[in-house]
Amino acid sequence: MNRIDKKPLSQLGFAFVAEEFLHPGQTEFDHRNKNLHLADYRPLQEREIRILEANLNEAENWKDLQVKEGFNPYLVKNCRFFGVNRIGVLESCYLEFKNLRMPVGLYNSTLISCDFGDNVAIDRVNLLSHYQIGNEVMILQVNELATTATAKFGNGNVKDGEEERIRIWMELGNENAGRKVVPFVGMRPADAYLWMQDREDTELQGRYFEMTKSEFSSERGFYGQIGDRTVIKNTGIIKDVNMGSDTYIKGANKLKNLTIISYPHASTQIGEGCEIVNGIIHEGCRIFYGVKAVRFILAAHSQLKYGARLINSFLGSNSTISCCEVLNALIFPAHEQHHNNSFLCAAVVKGQSNMAAGATLGSNHNSRGADGELQAGRGFWPGLSVALKHNSKFASFNLISKGNYPAEIHNPLPFSLLGNDETSGGLLIIAGYWFQYNMYALARNAWKFAARDVRTDKNMLLEYDYLAPDTVSELLQGLQLLALWTGQSLAAGENISEEDARQTGKSWLENPANATNPMPIFAQGIENSKRKTRVAKVHQAYHVFKDLLYYHAAKEWLATSKRNPTAKPLDLLKSTLANATAIQHWDNIGGQMIPASACSAPRIPSEAITGIAARIDSDARSSVFFLFESGRITHTSSMAPITAPAKSATTNPTQ
């Protein structure tokens, strides 16, 4: 049975916060009044009340309506007022936005305990409750626009008196919620990614949770905010939604429990047929045409279009998803996904990725259990109608050709093309594919992604170069794997140690006479099946990988010399070598490269390649180099302190 309480009409608009949730000396208006200069408002004059009543306006008590000097009572018609309402300056003019023209004033609406800025245009809002509205805001034809006392605006907090079970979590990377995180305004992919790791460390996980909780207020009574110059028209329900300035909403079905960050220089727009619940939308985003999004974060300057479904997922900045579904996914910046496909169920994809039509990742189960986890380095590109199994893992810049892949795959080779070997019935890997057949695409993407990075607040130093700390590390590991697999293939089943196999394979690969040798080379441990994995173009890829390291080192050494124009090149090189230390493993944390540990032991096997120096992260204001000498890998760092940019202002960021 629905519980419907009857209360006196005079109480409508009051008791927004129940007395048991107010601290001693606190009133229900405290949070509301912090955003106002109360001295600017005055009570209505008798003349103004007569004009308002003549214009078919009603109020339970006209004393509860306050106005600024410059208020024009003739511009308020056919409205009902309940609770304490405050109205700013109303001038006899109209506002125009694109093809929408509206006279300034309040018309044909029910208004409960709201604050209106100067020169607003409000018409046919059936219920407008507990909102603070900025200047020159236009709102037309909205069924419900309301804030509740326990509004959280998309953040994963719990208010006083509420049970912990109602807290909103985002279940990223795992369908069983094994990597769930608490969303908050300003959360970056790096925050989510770090929280998702080390789940067995209960103390660390507890600290993440406590740090996040401390950012929120558990008090009730925060009003919804609508920033200056926001335009809302022909929309169904908007409930517990904060909006920044210059937000544009048209034709949405339902918006609930959201923060919509928007600025004059980076406005956010939401269009027709959208139903969006429990999320955070950062500045410059576009959401149009039947989008369904639930428990999500949309980073700056990203788009959802054409029926896209984003559920329990985080989409990084400068990304686009249309015509498809994304479930339980953490996606780093610069992701493109168009056309219909089933993608990213329980996945971490590290950006600069693309998804072709008809692909199926995550919904083709190989057991009756829930999906596992798919992880892919940046540059991940599954081709048309690719079907992949969980659990799979791919290195950076892996291209997967059309086909059904019946078992889990773990491919550590970067810049590879994967396909089914039609002749042998096994898996085929073309090592170093991009550099042998389509290097133009890599070069183009490097500048394309950088050019498309239109973030106004570049609070993370995103890496777009295809040769960067993560891929350089993978190239080093790739050299070792190619030598190992070659040695094992030469041994033809003989019992041989990995070290002996690696040395044998290296000698074979270093011999130019073997460049055209058709000997088949098979890899171990790539696919979780009985079929074989053949690696093609091994000799060419081995030398391409080495050439890339030389090229990368030379390029970054020149860049370092330019950053130190007064230093003599030889002296600079000597000082670099003198401070050399063990190589580090670098992680892609939300699109930015960060050393896993400044003092950790080397994780990547090395070989003697004298004289190579490879850049780690010069963009992060550092000059860090790999140096390969006498069979060991070293690096040196002259990293300057990195100062985080000032945090952008958001509407009620603590809610």
Side-chain angles (χ1 to χ4, degrees), residues 223-262:
Y223 277 42
Q225 307 292 315
I226 299 179
D228 297 344
R229 300 174 302 280
T230 289
V231 178
I232 307 172
K233 66 177 183 179
N234 304 322
T235 294
I237 298 173
I238 300 177
K239 190 171 184 178
D240 292 348
V241 178
N242 267 351
M243 306 172 215
S245 67
D246 301 271
T247 302
Y248 182 29
I249 300 172
K250 58 174 181 176
N253 292 340
K254 182 177 183 179
L255 308 178
K256 182 180 179 181
N257 190 28
L258 304 171
T259 287
I260 303 172
I261 301 174
S262 182

Side-chain angles (χ1 to χ4, degrees), residues 285-556:
C285 289
R286 301 287 185 269
I287 307 176
F288 286 111
Y289 308 132
V291 167
K292 316 298 180 187
V294 181
R295 297 195 182 207
F296 71 98
I297 291 181
L298 196 62
H301 297 277
S302 288
Q303 301 184 65
L304 299 176
K305 303 186 294 185
Y306 308 128
R309 300 177 297 286
L310 186 71
I311 302 170
N312 266 318
S313 295
F314 192 129
L315 181 63
S317 59
N318 302 304
S319 299
T320 300
I321 293 178
S322 63
C323 301
C324 46
E325 65 177 343
V326 174
L327 307 176
N328 303 101
L330 170 61
I331 306 175
F332 290 6
H335 173 77
E336 294 293 323
Q337 183 173 346
H338 305 270
H339 315 293
N340 279 310
N341 45 54
S342 176
F343 183 45
L344 301 189
C345 300
V348 175
V349 178
K350 297 190 175 181
Q352 299 169 44
S353 39
N354 205 318
M355 185 66 188
T360 306
L361 284 76
S363 60
N364 53 334
H365 294 269
N366 48 355
S367 74
R368 292 187 178 182
D371 279 348
E373 303 178 11
L374 184 145
Q375 298 183 24
R378 58 194 182 101
F380 181 57
W381 196 327
L384 292 169
S385 301
V386 164
L388 291 176
K389 299 283 188 181
H390 285 79
N391 297 293
S392 291
K393 188 173 183 179
F394 300 92
S396 301
F397 294 95
N398 272 201
L399 173 64
I400 306 174
S401 64
K402 178 179 179 179
N404 179 43
Y405 297 86
E408 300 91 336
I409 297 173
H410 179 191
N411 179 37
L413 282 182
F415 306 106
S416 299
L417 169 64
L418 282 74
N420 285 312
D421 191 341
E422 302 297 339
T423 58
S424 67
L427 182 67
L428 174 66
I429 300 176
I430 300 180
Y433 165 83
W434 290 102
F435 298 104
Q436 298 183 61
Y437 297 100
N438 199 0
M439 189 170 179
Y440 166 78
L442 288 178
R444 177 180 179 272
N445 284 345
W447 63 257
K448 180 185 74 173
F449 289 129
R452 291 181 180 178
D453 186 0
V454 292
R455 294 173 299 152
T456 53
D457 182 9
K458 296 190 176 181
N459 50 26
M460 290 192 68
L461 300 170
L462 301 181
E463 181 63 76
Y464 295 118
D465 196 339
Y466 57 87
L467 287 181
D470 56 341
T471 53
V472 167
S473 298
E474 290 173 344
L475 287 173
L476 291 167
Q477 185 182 32
L479 288 172
Q480 300 301 304
L481 290 172
L482 293 176
L484 173 64
W485 296 334
T486 301
Q488 290 173 338
S489 297
L490 288 168
E494 294 181 10
N495 189 11
I496 183 173
S497 69
E498 287 194 1
E499 183 58 32
D500 289 341
R502 188 176 293 111
Q503 291 301 324
T504 301
K506 179 182 175 183
S507 298
W508 190 90
L509 292 169
E510 294 284 359
N511 187 351
N514 294 321
T516 58
N517 191 320
M519 182 189 72
I521 295 175
F522 296 96
Q524 307 296 324
I526 300 298
E527 188 176 58
N528 185 23
S529 72
K530 293 182 179 179
R531 66 177 190 165
K532 293 183 177 181
T533 299
R534 184 167 66 90
V535 185
K537 307 290 184 180
V538 172
H539 195 281
Q540 295 92 320
Y542 182 84
H543 290 277
V544 165
F545 284 6
K546 289 180 63 176
D547 289 344
L548 288 171
L549 294 174
Y550 282 107
Y551 165 74
H552 182 61
K555 184 179 68 170
E556 297 308 325

Side-chain angles (χ1 to χ4, degrees), residues 89-108:
V89 175
L90 296 180
E91 299 177 295
S92 185
C93 60
Y94 73 88
L95 305 179
E96 181 175 2
F97 176 77
K98 297 185 176 180
N99 293 324
L100 177 63
R101 297 179 178 181
M102 293 180 64
V104 163
L106 309 177
Y107 306 98
N108 310 305

